[in-house]
Amino acid sequence: MTQSKGPAPSSSRRLKRNVIYSLGVQIALSVALMLVSIMSDRTVRFASNFEVLAYEYRLLFQDTAFTTQGLIDAVEAETPNLRLISRMQAVLENHISEGREIFARLDEVTGGRSALMFIDVTESTAAYQAVQPRLQAFFSDLEVLSNIDGERLLHARSYAERVDLAVAPTGIICRGIDAMIDDVKRDAASLASNLRLIRTAIFAVMVAVILALASFLIFPALKDLAWALKRERHLRVHMAQMARHDRMTGLLNRAGLEEALSKFDPAKPYACAIIDLNMFKPINDAFGHAAGDAVLVEIATRMKVLLGSHVLTARIGGDEFAVIEPGISLAGCETLGTTLVGIFDDPIRYGDHQFRVGAAIGVAQSSQTEPGFDAVLTAADAAMYRLKGTGKTDYNIFSQELSATVHSLERKESLENALRAREFRPWYQPKFDLQTGDLTGFEALCRWHHPDQGILAPVSFLEDVDRYDLQLELSVLMFTAVLDQLRTWTRSGFDPPQVAVNVSAETLASESGIEAVMWRLAEYGDVKHLIIMEITEDVFLPRIATAVNRSIDLIADIGVRISIDDFGSGYASFRHLNEFTFHELKIDSSFVQGIGKDRSAEVFLTAFMSVARGIGVEVVAEGIETDEQQRFLVQLGCQHGQGFLFSPAVPYDEAVDWLRQQKAKDLGQFSA
């Protein structure tokens, strides 16, 4: 798709930078305006305080002068009253104390006003400094006068001088204080006027900045926005196209194929072919995903070249392709099948390797099936499935004889839907210490919670899971569910025992399977030590043994225990015990059922226990149903067991009940 030209890729960064700069300027101006407002408020407050203190001092000074004059009158009276003189001296001392306090506060306020905004309040400060020496001298004289003993004051010749000295400057001081108050008022008015001018200037700068932003920032931003909207429209079209196409091969995906089919004339027939690759999974597992991707891309390229533009080609699954050719007859289906087989004639090159990839191809014509794309697709799938097990590259055309196979494929679709809906859930069979009866673990067993048929046991679906190659999906689903429930138990305050989870050989033998297992163990690292990986004896098959052994080593290296299930009933031999890493053997229930009935079963059990002790692994006996079987196993030294004698597999809630019982038992033993 042709992309429209637009601004350089850095335009969005430039837009962000300009917006940030503009916000910074706005914030700086707002802060400056706020500081000016604060300073203005402080100026008014200081001026007001200064004026109030000056008035207080003016009143106090008048009271002091009045008291001093009263003291003079008392001394000069014909009959002096010593008690009155002493009382007036005490009042004078109080005036002196209050005056000094106001004097100190005047100093503090005057200094604050002078420092405010670095403006020297010259007139009021000068007036205050002119009055200050007279005030200090006045306080000193009054302090002397107030401290002269009354008797001495009556007879001392110098008292008149002291009194004159104290009273004489009162008029000058009062005039000085009045002048100081007037100067304070003028300075406050002048400073407030200056602050208004500053605020007006800042506001004007803010308006200018906003206009500049409109010219130099907002207009370019609008231009960039228009380009972004245009680019978004193109991107939306591109995303819609991607939603209908497979990202790797460029072919249609299933949604795109169905959308294209919806535009077909329903009255005209069309052919549908399903192509399922042979030998793709071994290539993917042996050479990695990059090799598998290269194979898929090459096949998609050959399909586009050989089939032409009028044919719809799609990738509808991991290694499944679909082809729709409109207006084709039943005879034309043969030609289509032959053409598709020719895609796989030549090997596919990948580096120094050449891969021989084949395919099973099923072809169906719409007139031979029920209406609807799903019906045609299912019919083609049924025709393909008839060839799937042969391993040959060939095609097969759907006929009515394959109708039964269609129902079988509906079963496959039902299983796939159940996997997507997580209808398969773990049930837990408890495992016990055969001597103490303590709960020592669980085995997670799969149950299908079918929406119509209820709870289904594995016997009703495992065979189909194997037939349709769904083992990996089921193993990963069960494995994840158990890990999640273990985490729930630990966070609920339980100390759960280890849980054994069955993992199929196909999961451990494939690269995608072991990647899924390791990824989930990493995701649930807090509970991975509670997992026992339980593998069946088919992992010892020669064709997959090497890959499985490598996977088991990876799992064991991160601290997960390995258990071999149903030992002695299949492919395993004592030789295999020396080749694989494992920590636990589970004795197949068929041997346990033979206790007391079959002497050879008891001999085999004795041999199993001897080997297990010799190589240092634990043994779990399955299928214990009677007390006799339990006693025999205890005598052999078998520590763990499970079976209907203790409990069948139970759902999640009942497993929680077992955990509660064991927790209560442990607490009781601890308190005892």
Side-chain angles (χ1 to χ4, degrees):
M1 181 178 65
T2 303
Q3 297 291 337
S4 63
K5 294 182 179 179
S10 62
S11 60
S12 61
R13 292 194 295 271
R14 186 177 66 253
L15 175 61
K16 292 179 182 177
R17 185 174 63 251
N18 292 341
V19 171
I20 291 172
Y21 285 165
S22 67
L23 289 176
V25 172
Q26 292 282 10
I27 291 172
L29 291 173
S30 300
V31 171
L33 190 60
M34 180 182 66
L35 290 175
V36 170
S37 300
I38 293 173
M39 291 177 182
S40 176
D41 179 68
R42 288 186 63 200
T43 301
V44 173
R45 189 169 66 251
F46 273 118
S48 177
N49 290 343
F50 192 94
E51 188 175 354
V52 169
L53 288 171
Y55 275 120
E56 286 183 7
Y57 194 80
R58 181 78 161 73
L59 296 174
L60 178 64
F61 186 79
Q62 290 176 348
D63 289 344
T64 304
F66 177 77
T67 302
T68 306
Q69 187 62 50
L71 180 60
I72 294 171
D73 293 342
V75 171
E76 292 179 344
E78 294 181 0
T79 307
N81 188 336
L82 290 177
R83 182 176 298 175
L84 177 60
I85 291 171
S86 298
R87 188 166 60 249
M88 296 185 74
Q89 283 182 315
V91 172
L92 193 58
E93 287 182 358
N94 289 336
H95 287 327
I96 293 170
S97 176
E98 293 177 11
R100 288 192 183 280
E101 181 180 350
I102 295 175
F103 191 70
R105 289 164 61 192
L106 275 170
D107 278 338
E108 179 183 351
V109 173
T110 301
R113 291 175 64 248
S114 298
L116 186 63
M117 289 185 67
F118 306 104
I119 297 175
D120 187 16
V121 190
T122 54
E123 294 184 7
S124 58
T125 302
Y128 176 69
Q129 290 173 349
V131 175
Q132 189 181 32
R134 293 182 179 275
L135 289 172
Q136 291 175 342
F138 178 70
F139 281 131
S140 299
D141 291 340
L142 288 182
E143 192 170 7
V144 172
L145 184 63
S146 65
N147 289 328
I148 296 176
D149 182 77
E151 293 285 346
R152 293 179 62 194
L153 184 61
L154 289 174
H155 302 288
R157 290 191 174 188
S158 61
Y159 82 91
E161 297 176 1
R162 297 291 183 183
V163 171
D164 290 341
L165 184 63
V167 176
T170 55
I172 298 173
I173 294 173
C174 286
R175 287 192 296 275
I177 292 176
D178 289 340
M180 183 173 62
I181 291 172
D182 292 338
D183 290 339
V184 167
K185 291 180 179 178
R186 284 195 299 273
D187 285 342
S190 175
L191 191 55
S193 177
N194 291 336
L195 290 171
R196 282 195 296 273
L197 289 175
I198 293 173
R199 283 199 299 269
T200 302
I202 291 178
F203 182 75
V205 173
M206 290 181 67
V207 172
V209 169
I210 291 173
L211 293 176
L213 291 174
S215 301
F216 299 105
L217 298 178
I218 296 177
F219 292 156
L222 291 176
K223 181 179 178 182
D224 287 350
L225 179 61
W227 174 81
L229 292 174
K230 183 178 180 181
R231 184 174 180 273
E232 183 190 2
R233 287 194 297 271
H234 286 284
L235 185 61
R236 197 181 303 120
V237 172
H238 180 63
M239 293 297 293
Q241 185 179 12
M242 287 183 61
R244 297 190 298 270
H245 288 76
D246 178 58
R247 185 170 55 183
M248 182 191 305
T249 62
L251 302 179
L252 293 171
N253 56 22
R254 179 158 184 158
L257 188 63
E258 290 179 350
E259 181 180 339
L261 277 172
S262 66
K263 301 175 183 178
F264 278 22
D265 184 353
K268 295 182 179 180
Y270 62 88
C272 173
I274 295 295
I275 304 168
D276 189 279
L277 303 186
N278 297 330
M279 296 301 296
F280 176 74
K281 185 176 289 186
I283 293 173
N284 216 23
D285 294 338
F287 297 94
H289 294 300
D293 293 347
V295 168
L296 296 175
V297 170
E298 175 61 22
I299 291 173
T301 302
R302 294 181 183 182
M303 290 173 65
K304 295 175 186 176
V305 172
L306 291 177
L307 296 175
S309 59
H310 70 289
V311 178
L312 300 178
T313 54
R315 181 186 175 207
I316 60 174
D319 60 348
E320 278 192 344
F321 296 86
V323 172
I324 302 292
E325 184 172 357
I328 191 172
S329 63
L330 283 174
C333 291
E334 297 282 350
T335 304
L336 176 61
T338 303
T339 303
L340 293 175
V341 169
I343 292 174
F344 303 94
D345 288 343
D346 298 326
I348 296 175
R349 292 184 177 274
Y350 176 72
D352 296 332
H353 304 284
Q354 288 190 349
F355 300 138
R356 281 287 180 183
V357 179
I361 303 168
V363 184
Q365 205 230 22
S366 58
S367 63
Q368 299 294 108
T369 66
E370 297 291 330
F373 172 63
D374 286 339
V376 181
L377 190 68
T378 302
D381 205 23
M384 178 274 296
Y385 204 82
R386 179 63 64 90
L387 297 171
K388 182 65 178 172
T390 65
K392 297 179 180 179
T393 300
D394 202 354
Y395 70 90
N396 187 34
I397 297 178
F398 177 78
S399 63
Q400 294 302 321
E401 298 175 359
L402 296 175
S403 297
T405 309
V406 171
H407 296 297
S408 176
L409 291 175
E410 291 175 355
R411 172 67 168 175
K412 176 187 177 184
E413 185 177 2
S414 175
L415 288 170
E416 291 173 339
N417 292 336
L419 286 167
R420 284 191 290 269
R422 299 181 184 274
E423 294 174 4
F424 295 99
R425 301 172 193 170
W427 282 38
Y428 297 92
Q429 184 168 30
K431 180 172 64 177
F432 295 92
D433 187 307
L434 295 180
Q435 291 186 339
T436 66
D438 291 337
L439 179 70
T440 59
F442 289 105
E443 179 181 3
L445 301 173
C446 185
R447 296 291 185 269
W448 185 358
H449 288 238
H450 198 285
D452 299 323
Q453 302 177 32
I455 308 299
L456 301 180
V459 68
S460 64
F461 58 82
L462 278 187
E463 184 177 349
D464 290 334
V465 168
D466 293 338
R467 179 183 298 116
Y468 301 126
D469 293 328
L470 299 175
Q471 304 97 325
L472 173 58
E473 290 83 352
L474 182 59
S475 291
V476 173
L477 175 63
M478 287 287 294
F479 192 57
T480 305
V482 171
L483 285 167
D484 192 61
Q485 291 177 357
L486 279 170
R487 176 174 285 175
T488 300
W489 284 342
T490 57
R491 292 179 177 177
S492 299
F494 292 111
D495 184 16
Q498 290 185 318
V499 177
V501 185
N502 289 281
V503 179
S504 68
E506 288 76 7
T507 300
L508 296 177
S510 67
E511 183 176 342
S512 56
I514 189 59
E515 283 182 359
V517 169
M518 295 299 289
W519 180 77
R520 279 157 180 79
L521 287 173
E523 182 183 9
Y524 290 87
D526 54 327
V527 293
K528 69 181 181 182
H529 63 286
L530 298 175
I531 285 289
I532 298 177
M533 195 79 71
E534 199 166 281
I535 57 178
T536 54
E537 288 187 313
D538 53 359
V539 300
F540 299 124
L541 289 172
R543 63 180 178 85
I544 61 172
T546 302
V548 170
N549 200 1
R550 184 170 58 248
S551 298
I552 289 175
D553 288 341
L554 288 174
I555 295 169
D557 286 344
I558 62 172
V560 176
R561 289 166 56 83
I562 307 297
S563 175
I564 298 179
D565 193 18
D566 299 332
F567 184 75
S569 63
Y571 302 101
S573 67
F574 289 122
R575 175 179 60 84
H576 292 120
L577 300 181
N578 192 42
E579 297 175 354
F580 282 75
T581 300
F582 68 99
H583 309 91
E584 180 182 276
L585 279 176
K586 297 192 75 173
I587 300 175
D588 185 65
S589 59
S590 61
F591 294 101
V592 175
Q593 297 302 313
I595 295 175
K597 304 174 183 177
D598 185 354
R599 177 59 182 167
S600 61
E602 296 177 355
V603 171
F604 282 125
L605 286 172
T606 303
F608 289 157
M609 290 305 304
S610 177
V611 171
R613 282 192 295 269
I615 60 178
V617 297
E618 295 185 1
V619 176
V620 179
E622 295 183 295
I624 302 175
E625 297 182 357
T626 66
D627 293 332
E628 180 185 3
Q629 293 167 358
Q630 179 183 0
R631 286 193 297 270
F632 184 83
L633 291 167
V634 170
Q635 291 174 359
L636 288 180
C638 182
Q639 186 177 1
H640 306 285
Q642 61 188 70
F644 285 177
L645 177 64
F646 309 108
S647 171
V650 296
Y652 175 81
D653 293 340
E654 294 185 37
V656 173
D657 292 338
W658 278 111
L659 290 175
R660 290 196 183 99
Q661 294 176 24
Q662 185 60 41
K663 185 175 182 179
K665 183 177 181 181
D666 293 340
L667 290 174
Q669 292 175 351
F670 178 77
S671 61

